[in-house]
Amino acid sequence: MTADRNVTEPIAEAGTSRTVADIAIVGGGLAGSLAAAVLAQAGHRIALIDKRAVYPDEFRVEKIGGHQLAMLRKLGFLDALDKVACRYDQVLNIRESKVVDVSVGQAYGFPYADLVAMARSQMPDPSGLIVDEVTAVSCSDDVQHLELASGRQVTARLVVLAAGMAGALAYKLGIRRRVLAERHSVSFGFTIVRQDGRPFDFEALTCYGERTADGIDYLSLFPVRVGMRANLFMFRDPTDPIMRELRREPEATLLRLLPGLRPYLGDFRVVDRVQNWVMDLTVVEGHLQPGVVLIGDAFQTNCPAAGTGVARLLVDVDRLCTEYAPRWLMTAGMGQEKISQFYSDRDKIAADQQSLKMARFRQALTSRNDIGWDVRRRLHFLRRSLTHRVDQMHPGWLGRVRGALRA
Ligand SMILES: Cc1cc2nc3c(=O)[nH]c(=O)nc-3n(C[C@H](O)[C@H](O)[C@H](O)COP(=O)(O)OP(=O)(O)OC[C@H]3O[C@@H](n4cnc5c(N)ncnc54)[C@H](O)[C@@H]3O)c2cc1C
């Protein structure tokens, strides 16, 4: 129990290679690191275990805004985010070189590794991070045991599995991944600058695909410290030769696929490695077990184009770490009946379902070419651009027209 304790760091038992904690978190990506910081700040003894001391330069979420920021503020991370990320407030949205509309609202761009480092830095005691690989987990109604590659052992009352898409540990517990859509989307990430070294004429820009056959949902350009970051989201066969062309000649291929971009970008070049990622949509099965709970990508993967991965994991962190886990620790045992409260949480279920719904919607809006979706696509952009034009007129007298267009 946490109530009568006066130290909050995990206890490394003297003379042994055993650590005792209230909660062991496996995986210090965004989900695990945020969870560790929230729980440790609340006074729980946390062992956060990740095989890497620093998250590597891997392509994951690189921008957040809107409701995600409200959640980060609620969890107490917004000030720290503001210090490490690049803020922007306006996104110019274009299609076929024409302005669709302008999105206004606080948003941030960053390398994912910086976001993870920011979350880890919010742990009150850095010794809560154990750099090691968890090789085995055994769970029960009472105490959970973890074995690490170094030979160290960790004992905890609850295990939070936040190991992302790496499924080996969950598999050993009998937890399986069901593939809902194989090779659902392909994403590219790279950084661009103007050839003349001057800044671009926009703060941030989104360019939507022009032809369904290209399978391009959108290209998102937003500021990071070293330049303008580009995230290109596609629904297309990952073995198509265009993938290689995008890696080898990103500038020319991008302009060939999105000719409407040319007047906005001018002469530009890619200044770093083009990273790409093929994403399956998956969800776990057999996860309701005593002593262990799965969060973030370890529970369900997301479509990057839908931009719901962070929203989902923030709901997981919020519900688990501010509501359920603290309550579970106040009474003996960690049986299934406790764990099931988290998986049946209304907000969690809604966020997981919304993520899958948006994944399917983005794919259909991008690449379905039957008449129904063709009309829907036209209406989608027409409604946005009419709403934008109305917004630019006199603010007072067109309120009702605006409402009707948005309905
Ligand atoms: C290309 C791409 C673009 C994306 N874009 C967006 C976007 O625009 N918007 C959005 O909302 N979402 C986006 N997402 C989704 C988002 O990035 C993920 O949902 C989020 O990063 C998942 O975080 P996580 O902590 O669950 O997993 P990860 O960040 O993958 O963390 C897992 C951690 O577990 C550790 N680990 C694994 N196994 C072990 C072990 N046995 N022992 C110790 N440590 C272990 C790993 O080292 C790693 O640090 C994108 C994803 C991708 C791939």
Side-chain angles (χ1 to χ4, degrees):
M1 303 233 306
T2 57
D4 58 354
R5 204 188 52 238
N6 56 12
V7 286
T8 55
E9 65 272 24
I11 301 167
E13 288 185 348
T16 72
S17 55
R18 219 157 72 90
T19 297
V20 180
D22 294 326
I23 302 180
I25 301 177
V26 183
L30 187 59
S33 301
L34 289 173
V38 171
L39 289 163
Q41 283 174 12
H44 304 288
R45 289 178 304 172
I46 301 304
L48 172 66
I49 310 147
D50 199 290
K51 52 189 173 192
R52 299 172 292 201
V54 175
Y55 204 96
D57 174 26
E58 277 177 14
F59 180 24
R60 297 279 194 282
V61 59
E62 298 184 322
K63 61 175 188 330
I64 47 181
H67 185 60
Q68 298 161 340
L69 293 182
M71 289 286 282
L72 281 171
R73 182 180 289 112
K74 181 185 171 212
L75 291 169
F77 292 95
L78 199 55
D79 289 346
L81 173 72
D82 194 65
K83 291 195 180 82
V84 300
C86 259
R87 179 172 169 168
Y88 58 98
D89 295 281
Q90 195 159 304
V91 185
L92 182 65
N93 301 306
I94 63 164
R95 187 165 185 247
E96 293 173 349
S97 87
K98 297 188 200 72
V99 174
V100 175
D101 57 10
V102 178
S103 316
V104 179
Q106 188 178 350
Y108 290 91
F110 43 77
Y112 184 63
D114 288 5
L115 188 67
V116 172
M118 177 282 290
R120 289 186 188 179
S121 75
Q122 299 305 296
M123 288 175 70
D125 175 11
S127 74
L129 173 66
I130 300 171
V131 181
D132 213 327
E133 181 172 357
V134 180
T135 51
V137 183
S138 63
C139 296
S140 71
D141 282 342
D142 191 17
V143 181
Q144 328 311 330
H145 298 283
L146 286 79
E147 283 173 29
L148 313 191
S150 64
R152 178 187 284 263
Q153 295 185 339
V154 178
T155 304
R157 292 199 52 211
L158 174 68
V159 172
V160 176
L161 211 48
M165 291 174 269
L169 279 180
Y171 192 83
K172 286 182 187 169
L173 288 169
I175 299 168
R176 302 283 180 262
R177 267 188 190 274
R178 183 155 58 97
V179 179
L180 304 173
E182 203 173 10
R183 299 167 157 203
H184 178 257
S185 61
V186 187
S187 308
F188 286 82
F190 47 90
T191 310
I192 61 171
V193 296
R194 276 173 61 124
Q195 289 285 24
D196 59 12
R198 293 177 47 214
F200 289 97
D201 291 337
F202 49 82
E203 236 194 315
L205 179 145
T206 304
C207 178
Y208 293 96
E210 300 185 7
R211 298 167 294 257
T212 51
D214 292 334
I216 293 183
D217 189 348
Y218 59 94
L219 170 79
S220 177
L221 298 172
F222 52 91
V224 289
R225 290 202 194 287
V226 293
M228 190 62 78
R229 189 67 182 163
N231 283 181
L232 177 67
F233 298 121
M234 303 174 75
F235 297 98
R236 193 156 167 172
D237 179 359
T239 62
D240 191 294
I242 197 78
M243 304 297 160
R244 193 167 352 124
E245 288 167 40
L246 272 164
R247 280 191 300 269
R248 288 195 180 160
E249 294 186 317
E251 297 91 347
T253 313
L254 203 58
L255 291 178
R256 187 151 51 77
L257 290 168
L258 295 168
L261 263 180
R262 196 179 288 275
Y264 294 88
L265 293 190
D267 285 336
F268 71 99
R269 67 191 157 88
V270 173
V271 291
D272 59 1
R273 180 167 62 101
V274 177
Q275 298 195 45
N276 80 308
W277 194 276
V278 180
M279 184 61 94
D280 296 335
L281 284 186
T282 64
V283 63
V284 290
E285 287 178 338
H287 48 283
L288 180 54
Q289 301 193 12
V292 60
V293 73
L294 278 70
I295 62 169
D297 281 10
F299 181 81
Q300 180 179 306
T301 60
N302 319 277
C303 165
T308 50
V310 172
R312 269 197 57 249
L313 75 77
L314 285 171
V315 171
D316 280 355
V317 170
D318 180 47
R319 301 309 293 143
L320 180 69
C321 305
T322 67
E323 171 87 23
Y324 297 110
R327 195 164 2 115
W328 296 342
L329 289 171
M330 291 170 83
T331 55
M334 202 52 76
Q336 268 190 27
E337 71 293 346
K338 283 186 174 173
I339 306 297
S340 72
Q341 292 169 358
F342 170 69
Y343 291 129
S344 353
D345 182 271
R346 228 179 27 191
D347 292 349
K348 175 183 168 46
I349 292 173
D352 292 345
Q353 287 178 348
Q354 174 69 2
S355 180
L356 294 177
K357 190 175 151 194
M358 284 303 293
R360 294 187 176 113
F361 172 74
R362 296 274 11 144
Q363 183 179 31
L365 191 72
T366 301
S367 31
R368 286 272 299 266
N369 53 13
D370 52 282
I371 181 89
W373 275 98
D374 192 39
V375 170
R376 217 165 147 180
R377 188 162 34 248
R378 283 169 202 270
L379 281 176
H380 175 84
F381 287 108
L382 183 67
R383 191 183 298 129
R384 281 180 58 174
S385 94
L386 285 177
T387 305
H388 174 61
R389 278 183 218 168
V390 169
D391 278 343
Q392 288 190 315
M393 294 180 200
H394 192 280
W397 62 279
L398 281 171
R400 252 188 262 144
V401 180
R402 196 184 298 130
L405 285 168
R406 281 188 178 131

